[in-house]
Amino acid sequence: MEVNEVLNAGRGVVVNPPANVGDALDTLLGIYIEHSLHYLSKEMWRQAMAISTQLPDSPFGQAYTALDRALTEQIRSPGYRRSA
């Protein structure tokens, strides 16, 4: 997983968000989805999510959870809230 790459792509939206909150979320989620499909197919992502939920304490499960938390924090960032 290219964690820094997806976070950096989203950072641009957080730093300079659209005026409308819905547009900002749509843009961020679009970045996250497009980025994920650049590296893995939908089927591979289904497998990855299944592994992360079935084996949350595995190294992969922990890495997936950490990425999910980082993306959540990016959406909740002070820069994003300030302009919302």
Side-chain angles (χ1 to χ4, degrees):
M1 285 186 258
E2 296 293 328
V3 175
N4 290 328
E5 196 174 302
V6 72
L7 288 170
N8 287 336
R11 191 169 293 125
V13 177
V14 172
V15 170
N16 190 19
N20 180 287
V21 173
D23 290 343
L25 287 172
D26 184 56
T27 302
L28 277 174
L29 295 176
I31 288 169
Y32 299 163
I33 291 167
E34 288 299 317
H35 185 272
S36 68
L37 293 176
H38 177 76
Y39 291 99
L40 298 173
S41 68
K42 287 182 182 181
E43 180 58 31
M44 292 175 79
W45 271 109
R46 285 186 198 105
Q47 292 288 334
M49 290 193 304
I51 291 169
S52 71
T53 56
Q54 291 173 346
L55 301 169
D57 294 327
S58 70
F60 181 81
Q62 291 176 354
Y64 190 88
T65 298
L67 173 59
D68 194 44
R69 284 188 181 130
L71 296 174
T72 299
E73 284 304 311
Q74 187 172 66
I75 290 172
R76 297 175 64 197
S77 75
Y80 176 76
R81 284 195 306 261
R82 187 177 325 121
S83 62

